[in-house]
Amino acid sequence: MLKYAIKRIILAIPVIISMTIIVFLILHLAPGEPIDLIVGPNVTPEVYESIRHKYGLDQPLIVQYFKFLGNLFRLDFGDSILQQRPVSRLILERLPVTLKLGIAGFILSVIIAIPLGILAAVNRNTIIDYTCMTGAMLGMSLPTFWFGLLLLYFFAYRMRIFPISGYGTWKHLVLPAFALGLTDAAVTARMMRSSMLEVLGQDYVRTARSKGLAEKVVIYQHALKNALIPIVTLLGMRLGWIIGGSVVLETIFSIPGLGRLMIDSIHSRDYPVVQGSMIVLTSAIILGNIIADILYAVIDPRIKFD
Amino acid sequence: MTNIRVIKMGEKEITKAIEENQKDSFQDFVRRLFKNKAALAGFTIIMILIIVAIFAPLIAPYEYDAQNLKFFLRPPSKEHLLGTDEFGRDVFSRIVYGSRISLQIGFIAVGISLLIGTILGALAGYYGGVIDYVITGITDIALSFPTILLAIAFVAALGPSLVNVMIAVALVSWCGYCRLVRAEFLSLREQEFVEAAVVLGMDDKRIIFNHILPNSAAPIIVMTTLEFPKAIIVESTLSFLGIGVQPPTPSWGSILSSGKFFLYEAPWISIVPGFMIMIVVMGFNLFGDALRDVLDPRLKE
């Protein structure tokens, strides 16, 4: 078990390294020197050079990369060009907001998706199944940002049930979490349905039924446990989607989260902040996938640990 | 009796018989596909999109960039079916022209990723060994990246424009093809018809393109249909965030993006393009799902 976990973590190392390379290159492939933002057009070449030197931009790319990597190990992402503050501080301020939104959306998604998936599978090819799956198809095709705008327009602006924008109370989180959860639930519900259908066709379910067990016992005590196993990996994979979704929703609902910070910094070309938030968000997703994989191995004894 | 007839058949007759057989199986395929109402609905949506995109100049009553500040944020009316935006531009016309951008992104971005993914997957699956090891390694790394964040990263580096969005979408979506094609090649390589081709002394190029690739067409087609909506979503998300297609180019995402600032005064600007994205994405999803069920039951979730 431990061996499997260690192996899985080692496999993630090349992923993390290539991520740092890509994120590092963003700064250097981007059109225009980032320090042009700080210095403005009217500086003498000497001042320009000294600022380039201060940020280490005059060194060869490979040296800069290893310095960047070394700083990462100390969780030092450099200073924000615009705000002149450490990027790590900015990220720490914003991260809890994104986490809250992500977790709320995630929980909502699971609460909606799992029962719908079971309902559809148990009532296969009935009107209930068709309704659930049509709903899932709609949800899958719904662009998150548009759904967020619709919710904002109708429930915040028209009906005044929820605040229009900002952050602070739980009420501010309801609409964005709902937009996130509902679109995500569509995929999970479809997966839950097919997983449940597969399990219901297994021999041990037939045995349980032929023993004369009540249908409820068969479904909830025998089938459900096994049908949930593949969902664990799926939820890990959906984490990337959840975080991508919250980047968009934070922009719509003016929520001061990490995603919003990243998008704002792309617009203002504050590249150290872009790099830092990108690395934190991507690492969170990669970590989520590792945890899901290990969890999958723990609950499914068929997976071999070698 | 039948044996004698077969022997008497010349090459021409055999070719004709094979063609007729293929025609029959194609008709059978179409019949099975469109027995599914969802497939028919999806296909209709895709066809309408293509027709609107081709005939956009005939359908749109105004030019997509024709400004008239006298008509600032007008609600839907007889002259302007879906109202006007902050520059007095006709929203309906912009949405009609936007269908072109969505299709363009879909065709070009998905096309590039299909090309990259298929070539790499074919090389890995056919040759195996070190080539396979390297390509599979790169694919695994690429697959563990979150799509939308990677696309944002690419666009942040390349700068916002239609071409860069296409590149970003292609760069985040080739790995699925690579994995699929590799798996197909691995299993097809062991089949008798490939062995026969090798024994007959055909070169690798001919075996790969004329023998193995056509046999893995079904799952590739299914995947392409399902990649299309993903590309449209990624494009519109990037454009919505203001780092994708830039105004005045009328992509549905960019129309929505400029409309979000006038959501309360002029909700029509944002609501309609989003609805279009949903319908088109759903069309491709429905069609792709049905296509998968008919063409390649193994891929069923």
Side-chain angles (χ1 to χ4, degrees):
Chain A
M1 176 59 232
L2 191 67
K3 242 170 105 182
Y4 176 81
I6 291 171
K7 198 181 154 196
R8 184 62 189 79
I9 291 167
I10 289 175
L11 277 177
I13 291 175
V15 178
I16 304 229
I17 290 176
S18 32
M19 176 204 45
T20 59
I21 294 176
I22 292 177
V23 171
F24 170 77
L25 285 177
I26 291 173
L27 179 77
H28 297 274
L29 284 178
E33 284 261 11
I35 52 166
D36 289 350
L37 284 174
I38 329 170
V39 294
N42 301 323
V43 289
T44 59
E46 292 79 30
V47 177
Y48 191 84
E49 273 314 307
S50 75
I51 293 174
R52 256 172 78 90
H53 184 73
K54 185 190 156 203
Y55 284 94
L57 293 168
D58 52 348
Q59 283 164 325
L61 215 56
I62 189 91
V63 177
Q64 289 188 48
Y65 172 68
F66 279 106
K67 259 174 104 177
F68 172 73
L69 202 61
N71 288 338
L72 277 189
F73 278 110
R74 289 180 278 118
L75 291 180
D76 175 6
F77 301 106
D79 286 349
S80 157
I81 295 177
L82 274 182
Q83 304 198 30
Q84 298 291 335
R85 288 172 61 206
V87 174
S88 47
R89 289 276 285 286
L90 283 171
I91 291 176
L92 274 182
E93 284 168 18
R94 304 289 196 105
L95 189 60
V97 182
T98 301
L99 280 181
K100 248 187 230 168
L101 176 59
I103 292 171
F106 192 69
I107 293 174
L108 215 65
S109 157
V110 172
I111 292 177
I112 299 169
I114 306 269
L116 276 186
I118 299 172
L119 200 67
V122 172
N123 299 294
R124 186 186 189 178
N125 291 337
T126 63
I127 187 84
I128 302 176
D129 182 19
Y130 295 139
T131 314
C132 289
M133 285 307 108
T134 309
M137 181 45 95
L138 267 173
M140 240 177 80
S141 313
L142 207 58
T144 318
F145 52 89
W146 182 62
F147 190 45
L149 279 182
L150 284 187
L151 291 178
L152 186 65
Y153 182 72
F154 287 107
F155 291 100
Y157 177 69
R158 275 295 179 81
M159 304 185 198
R160 314 259 165 193
I161 302 176
F162 296 102
I164 280 180
S165 66
Y167 179 72
T169 66
W170 63 271
K171 270 193 160 183
H172 286 102
L173 269 184
V174 173
L175 291 181
F178 196 66
L180 199 56
L182 206 66
T183 45
D184 185 62
V187 179
T188 316
R190 273 164 67 104
M191 181 82 179
M192 185 67 214
R193 174 180 178 270
S194 52
S195 169
M196 193 73 186
L197 279 180
E198 205 188 312
V199 170
L200 286 177
Q202 301 274 319
D203 286 343
Y204 69 89
V205 172
R206 204 171 306 136
T207 312
R209 278 189 179 139
S210 56
K211 273 200 304 193
L213 287 181
E215 191 61 21
K216 265 190 184 156
V217 180
V218 175
I219 290 169
Y220 295 104
Q221 289 188 9
H222 292 247
L224 182 58
K225 259 189 251 167
N226 288 301
L228 280 173
I229 291 175
I231 300 298
V232 173
T233 326
L234 178 77
L235 293 180
M237 283 174 357
R238 297 301 292 168
L239 198 67
W241 200 89
I242 291 257
I243 288 183
S246 40
V247 170
V248 175
L249 289 165
E250 283 169 16
T251 311
I252 296 173
F253 289 93
S254 324
I255 297 169
L258 195 49
R260 177 114 197 270
L261 178 72
M262 181 174 75
I263 299 297
D264 287 347
S265 308
I266 291 177
H267 285 301
S268 57
R269 297 211 283 155
D270 193 345
Y271 288 112
V273 184
V274 179
Q275 288 181 327
S277 32
M278 193 79 89
I279 283 180
V280 171
L281 289 175
T282 319
S283 311
I285 294 165
I286 294 170
L287 193 72
N289 283 332
I290 297 177
I291 294 173
D293 276 0
I294 295 175
L295 213 60
Y296 188 54
V298 172
I299 55 178
D300 190 349
R302 282 172 303 181
I303 294 191
K304 293 222 171 68
F305 301 129
D306 48 29
Chain B
M1 264 315 265
T2 41
N3 281 346
I4 297 168
R5 255 183 65 202
V6 171
I7 292 166
K8 275 184 181 166
M9 272 168 101
E11 202 176 328
K12 261 188 195 160
E13 280 95 342
I14 293 178
T15 326
K16 212 178 135 195
I18 292 175
E19 272 171 4
E20 263 172 18
N21 191 8
Q22 278 174 344
K23 215 172 99 189
D24 279 357
S25 65
F26 181 70
Q27 279 172 349
D28 179 53
F29 158 75
V30 173
R31 203 176 308 123
R32 276 196 299 155
L33 181 63
F34 290 120
K35 226 171 64 185
N36 185 341
K37 292 218 176 62
L40 193 63
F43 184 73
T44 313
I45 293 172
I46 297 170
M47 278 301 137
I48 293 177
L49 173 74
I50 294 175
I51 291 170
V52 169
I54 293 175
F55 297 107
L58 299 177
I59 297 169
Y62 301 87
E63 280 296 309
Y64 65 85
D65 53 358
Q67 302 189 3
N68 189 345
L69 290 174
K70 268 195 282 183
F71 293 102
F72 174 78
L73 298 181
R74 289 284 172 87
S77 64
K78 237 195 261 166
E79 293 86 52
H80 298 280
L81 278 178
L82 296 173
T84 61
D85 67 5
E86 74 274 25
F87 295 110
R89 295 175 299 198
D90 183 48
V91 175
F92 176 71
S93 303
R94 288 180 65 70
I95 288 172
V96 168
Y97 274 96
S99 63
R100 290 186 159 190
I101 307 288
S102 291
L103 267 189
Q104 223 175 319
I105 298 263
F107 274 118
I108 298 177
V110 175
I112 298 172
S113 65
L114 172 73
L115 207 65
I116 302 176
T118 307
I119 291 174
L120 289 180
L123 288 176
Y126 188 76
Y127 290 106
V130 185
I131 300 180
D132 183 25
Y133 191 75
V134 173
I135 292 179
T136 310
I138 297 173
T139 314
D140 283 346
I141 290 175
L143 269 173
S144 41
F145 276 105
T147 317
I148 192 75
L149 281 185
L150 194 59
I152 291 175
F154 281 131
V155 175
L158 300 165
S161 80
L162 180 60
V163 175
N164 291 346
V165 170
M166 289 182 196
I167 296 174
V169 173
L171 285 178
V172 296
S173 48
W174 60 271
C175 26
Y177 284 110
C178 183
R179 187 173 269 194
L180 176 80
V181 172
R182 174 182 173 269
E184 285 290 315
F185 268 62
L186 275 183
S187 70
L188 288 172
R189 198 179 54 179
E190 308 298 326
Q191 303 259 324
E192 277 96 356
F193 72 91
V194 177
E195 270 171 36
V198 175
V199 172
L200 284 172
M202 285 183 195
D203 57 4
D204 288 353
K205 209 173 107 187
R206 194 160 160 205
I207 297 176
I208 291 177
F209 288 106
N210 293 5
H211 293 266
I212 307 187
L213 207 52
N215 280 291
S216 32
I220 296 178
I221 292 171
V222 171
M223 189 169 214
T224 305
T225 324
L226 294 170
E227 281 298 324
F228 241 87
K230 286 186 203 159
I232 292 174
I233 287 277
V234 173
E235 179 273 321
S236 53
T237 305
L238 292 176
S239 302
F240 177 79
L241 291 171
I243 50 180
V245 177
Q246 295 297 300
T249 311
S251 114
W252 290 339
S254 70
I255 300 174
L256 225 162
S257 178
S258 50
K260 74 182 175 213
F261 300 111
F262 308 99
L263 181 65
Y264 309 121
E265 304 96 302
W268 52 88
I269 307 175
S270 343
I271 288 178
V272 186
F275 183 72
M276 297 307 295
I277 297 170
M278 184 181 81
I279 293 294
V280 166
V281 167
M282 195 162 65
F284 278 103
N285 278 336
L286 286 173
F287 189 64
D289 271 4
L291 209 56
R292 177 180 54 202
D293 292 351
V294 177
L295 275 181
D296 197 36
R298 283 172 305 158
L299 277 170
K300 210 167 177 179
E301 279 172 48

